[in-house]
Amino acid sequence: MLKIYNTLTRQKEVFKPRSEGKVGMYVCGMTVYDYCHIGHARVMVVFDTVARYFRHLGYDLTYVRNITDIDDKIIQRANENGEDFNHLTARFIDAMHEDERSLAVLPPDIEPRATQSIASIIAMIETLLAKGHAYIGSNGDVFYAVEKFNDYGKLSGKKLEDLQAGERVDVDAAKQNPFDFVLWKMAKANEPSWPSPWGEGRPGWHIECSAMSTCCLGNHFDIHGGGMDLQFPHHENEIAQSEGATGEKFVNLWMHNGFVRVNEEKMSKSLGNFFTVREVLKQYRPEIIRFFILSSHYRSPLNYSDEQLNEAATALNRLYTALRGVTVPDSPILPDYQGRFEQAMDDDFNTAVAVSVLFDLAREVNKNKSSDLKRAEQLAASLRRLGGLLGILQNDPEVWLKGGDVEVRLQSGHMEYEAYPPTVVIGPSEEAINHCIQARLDAKKAKNWAMADQIRDQLKEQGIILEDAPNGTTSWRRA
RNA sequence: GGCUGCGUAGCAAAAUGGUUAUGCAGCGGCCUGCAAAGCCGUAUAUACCGGUUCGAUUCCGGUCGCAGCCUCCA
């Protein structure tokens, strides 16, 4: 029985789809004026994992994640670069897809873009005006009137009278209430714009999500997700817009993931303390990042540091080490482990516990390797398949363990969405390593332990760890 | 000021009204020429103060500390 924490009710609820066996899920995606950072990666990985699990449970899922490809920051950045805004967003959409692909994030079913949804945005604004939820301000912009929506604040638990308007930013004189927000913004000279009943302009940020989500999934759908910081005002405003326009309930269940932090502080663009995915990828392989994200619960804060990433790498090595040397048959997942795994995931997608099941499985594989190979193979198959549900452990173990430090080369620009980023291994070549291993085997045969140990130590300094097997062979991996 | 949420062993991170989380690091042992990996065993915990209870880390109240939102932000 799947339970999910609902921000709207502040508790875990048994998930009940609106329509038997079907799920509609909308997640707020990126504003594409820069590269994705680890915080964005968390959203992608978390909701990808949610999507994978829904499908594993047999739901017919429609996963929609939008792209905001027009807003003030995009215009500003394009101006700074002396670049057409369409060109700018195209570049960063490509880059985002590369990052996603490297993190084993499966593409959403629908990826609507604001600039391709202008007609439905305008239609929704017209409805809001007609119903008296919106007005045209003195500057020509169309605003949403928050006071006309009784439930305003129900998601974030805020009351209009408690909010501190103008505390950090000047209040726009064109607004009737300081918390009214823009639905349609009039274009200044040389700004990108679209024709509308109110003049040339562009949509406000919040309206695009209301328009795109209801357009793709219907007026009322199951799940809406995004980062914690979108709770207010973005999601609050989406509710006001959508419910104001349709008169129907908008979303049953709101999911919000926690922040990635750096030194106990939110990683964010404005603080400038962010690490882009491609930056981190220079040092860590993508699966390590994914594992790092999944090793804590999606609603908890996640502290980013080298120590954490290194630990994730070590942990992942342990899982791959268990898989090493075992032929993994195409057998079903062992029921007891599947049960434990699902119990964890059913509890609000508790990936941390799900991962711990993988470690238990790894121990059992290791234990049975020498005594009961058949059993070990079955366990390994379960380990690999359960890992697959989380989007990890799909590499060849030998290849993974020989991978070590790599440089992942992303080719921004116009790479095929499907292409996996090529990795470049740092350190001695396989040929050189094998040569050393042979020399050491000879030394061992001559019982020249000093020589054998010296060779091993030298390799270790270069990040190569040797492991002697009982049958006299030596295998190696990169640290 | 208003509203969220959090405080678990050396580190990270789950869970639970009474019973092993898990990973890394540590300690002891097995294995090994010695290692590595693996296996077995083992230590260290629930911010503080009250309350409810036969029993609380878990529920309730308070204190302290931390983070987030109340501009844009995943």
Side-chain angles (χ1 to χ4, degrees), chain A residues 66-78:
Chain A
N66 76 294
I67 294 175
T68 297
D69 59 353
I70 180 67
D71 90 323
D72 292 356
K73 284 184 175 158
I74 290 171
I75 293 171
Q76 188 192 335
R77 184 64 59 89

Side-chain angles (χ1 to χ4, degrees), chain A residues 39 42-43 46-47 226-229 255-259 298-300:
Chain A
R42 190 175 194 189
V43 181
V46 161
F47 286 101
M228 290 271 225
D229 46 1
M255 289 179 72
H256 293 98
N257 65 275
F259 297 125
Y298 75 89
R299 284 190 284 116
S300 306

Side-chain angles (χ1 to χ4, degrees), chain A residues 321-324 326 364-373 376:
Chain A
T321 302
L323 252 19
R324 178 159 68 162
V326 182
E364 289 305 311
V365 173
N366 288 330
K367 251 197 269 196
N368 283 280
K369 263 182 186 170
S370 53
S371 54
D372 185 349
L373 196 61

Side-chain angles (χ1 to χ4, degrees), chain A residues 270-300:
Chain A
S270 36
L271 286 169
N273 61 347
F274 60 90
F275 294 83
T276 64
V277 171
R278 47 199 55 218
E279 215 173 319
V280 178
L281 242 26
K282 283 181 186 158
Q283 211 183 333
Y284 298 97
R285 286 180 282 176
E287 194 172 339
I288 295 170
I289 302 176
R290 186 169 176 115
F291 185 90
F292 162 68
I293 290 169
L294 293 177
S295 59
S296 76
H297 186 89
Y298 75 89
R299 284 190 284 116
S300 306

Side-chain angles (χ1 to χ4, degrees), chain A residues 233-250:
Chain A
H234 185 56
H235 289 163
E236 201 69 72
N237 291 352
E238 273 189 62
I239 294 173
Q241 291 164 337
S242 304
E243 298 192 351
T246 68
E248 294 176 49
K249 177 160 192 178
F250 179 40

Side-chain angles (χ1 to χ4, degrees), chain A residues 154-169:
Chain A
K154 70 175 171 183
L155 178 68
S156 54
K158 295 183 192 303
K159 297 192 185 91
L160 278 172
E161 57 267 31
D162 292 337
L163 295 170
Q164 297 196 354
E167 174 83 4
R168 294 194 286 167
V169 135

Side-chain angles (χ1 to χ4, degrees), chain A residues 123-192:
Chain A
M124 188 174 260
I125 298 174
E126 282 186 307
T127 307
L128 287 170
L129 279 165
K131 289 193 172 184
H133 284 286
Y135 61 94
I136 298 171
S138 53
N139 59 357
D141 290 355
V142 184
F143 292 100
Y144 189 96
V146 291
E147 283 168 37
K148 297 286 169 58
F149 187 71
N150 286 335
D151 282 337
Y152 195 80
K154 70 175 171 183
L155 178 68
S156 54
K158 295 183 192 303
K159 297 192 185 91
L160 278 172
E161 57 267 31
D162 292 337
L163 295 170
Q164 297 196 354
E167 174 83 4
R168 294 194 286 167
V169 135
D170 288 342
V171 175
D172 190 334
K175 293 179 181 179
Q176 292 175 357
N177 179 304
F179 293 101
D180 290 348
F181 51 91
V182 183
L183 297 171
W184 190 262
K185 192 166 184 162
M186 289 299 123
K188 297 196 188 81
N190 299 320
E191 278 184 351

Side-chain angles (χ1 to χ4, degrees), chain A residues 11-136:
Chain A
Q11 58 191 11
K12 288 182 199 172
E13 294 174 359
V14 174
F15 177 69
K16 231 180 145 289
R18 290 183 58 249
S19 148
E20 189 63 39
K22 288 190 178 171
V23 181
M25 177 165 80
Y26 182 93
V27 171
C28 287
M30 283 269 295
T31 301
V32 283
Y33 68 96
D34 206 343
Y35 293 114
C36 299
H37 64 230
I38 297 296
H40 298 118
R42 190 175 194 189
V43 181
M44 291 174 177
V45 168
V46 161
F47 286 101
D48 175 59
T49 307
V50 167
R52 285 169 186 255
Y53 192 63
F54 271 122
R55 298 213 162 98
H56 165 73
L57 292 181
Y59 284 102
D60 176 13
L61 170 75
T62 306
Y63 176 23
V64 182
R65 196 191 54 209
N66 76 294
I67 294 175
T68 297
D69 59 353
I70 180 67
D71 90 323
D72 292 356
K73 284 184 175 158
I74 290 171
I75 293 171
Q76 188 192 335
R77 184 64 59 89
N79 284 341
E80 284 166 12
N81 293 358
E83 184 180 12
D84 182 78
F85 88 98
N86 274 315
H87 187 260
L88 176 91
T89 55
R91 281 186 3 204
F92 287 114
I93 289 169
D94 280 355
M96 175 183 79
H97 285 156
E98 273 179 21
D99 292 343
E100 234 182 336
R101 176 72 194 153
S102 75
L103 294 171
V105 168
L106 303 171
D109 299 293
I110 310 175
E111 205 169 41
R113 300 184 189 179
T115 57
Q116 294 169 0
S117 313
I118 301 292
S120 47
I121 291 171
I122 288 175
M124 188 174 260
I125 298 174
E126 282 186 307
T127 307
L128 287 170
L129 279 165
K131 289 193 172 184
H133 284 286
Y135 61 94
I136 298 171

